Amino acid sequence: VQIAAGGNQAPNTPTSLVQKEDSSGTTISTGGWINTTAVRFEGSVTDPDTDDQVALCVEKDTLGTSFTSTNGGDACGSFGAEGTRTVTISSLTQGEYHWQGQGEDDSTTYSAWQCYPDSGCNAESARDFGIDTTAPTTGTVNDGSGADIDTQTSMTQLDANWSGFSDALSGILRYEYKLQREVDNQCWN
């Protein structure tokens, strides 16, 4: 336990670190991709001094950039009671990130840093989350098994092929194909 001048003890190292999309509050899975530039970081912060208010501080860096572990990091949230504390970092740029959290008390005393996820830290070279706000490059979709045809004629079989779709940053997650019945324009995805 670190004790600062005047007998103040440093907060405990944060636990239960979580990363979320700020606007929706949806948890970002470890290594997951989002298409928004604001991330809310959460962690449980406690302090041995029962009268201290605490905050969560975060340092985030792009992959390939080592942490500086400077007290306060890139941003600190507001002070409040012990428990889950949050800090949001907005205007992040496209890329892959790793991060760590630190507790701060209202006497400007800091805990040790805790890397994410605290259940077993990712390597600094491993993506904690990624931001990709650019749409994939579109390609060509053909009806049938070869060159494009206007109409499928079989009532029991459907063929299609596509090429040229790409996403250089996060990759293609899935393809969707839409069917439309000509008689009444009924659609299926």
Side-chain angles (χ1 to χ4, degrees):
V1 175
Q2 299 173 347
I3 299 179
N8 183 58
Q9 296 180 71
N12 298 314
T13 304
T15 60
S16 305
L17 298 178
V18 178
Q19 53 193 18
K20 294 184 176 184
E21 290 185 46
D22 186 50
S23 58
S24 68
T26 302
T27 298
I28 306 167
S29 62
T30 302
W33 288 93
I34 59 172
N35 64 356
T36 182
T37 60
V39 175
R40 182 182 341 146
F41 302 93
E42 295 182 1
S44 179
V45 182
T46 58
D47 191 297
D49 301 314
T50 57
D51 58 342
D52 282 351
Q53 296 282 297
V54 292
L56 177 67
C57 301
V58 167
E59 179 182 7
K60 52 80 188 130
D61 284 303
T62 56
L63 290 190
T65 304
S66 296
F67 292 128
T68 63
S69 297
T70 303
N71 283 340
D74 295 314
C76 294
S78 58
F79 288 106
E82 291 184 337
T84 301
R85 307 302 308 154
T86 65
V87 57
T88 297
I89 298 180
S90 301
S91 302
L92 292 168
T93 58
Q94 224 169 227
E96 298 175 275
Y97 291 88
H98 62 128
W99 67 282
Q100 61 181 354
Q102 178 184 51
E104 179 187 11
D105 68 18
D106 53 7
S107 298
T108 319
T109 305
Y110 296 91
S111 74
W113 284 99
Q114 175 61 56
C115 57
Y116 173 85
D118 54 295
S119 61
C121 300
N122 260 355
E124 281 198 22
S125 60
R127 178 180 63 244
D128 293 339
F129 67 92
I131 295 177
D132 185 355
T133 57
T134 304
T137 301
T138 55
T140 303
V141 177
N142 295 315
D143 293 325
S145 57
D148 198 29
I149 58 175
D150 291 331
T151 308
Q152 298 279 336
T153 57
S154 172
M155 296 300 284
T156 60
Q157 181 176 327
L158 175 68
D159 291 314
N161 66 83
W162 50 86
S163 64
F165 292 89
S166 66
D167 189 310
L169 194 56
S170 61
I172 302 290
L173 176 63
R174 69 177 178 272
Y175 295 92
E176 294 182 359
Y177 192 82
K178 179 179 173 182
L179 305 175
Q180 183 174 356
R181 188 167 49 202
E182 190 173 10
V183 176
D184 58 3
N185 292 326
Q186 173 70 37
C187 294
W188 298 269
N189 287 337

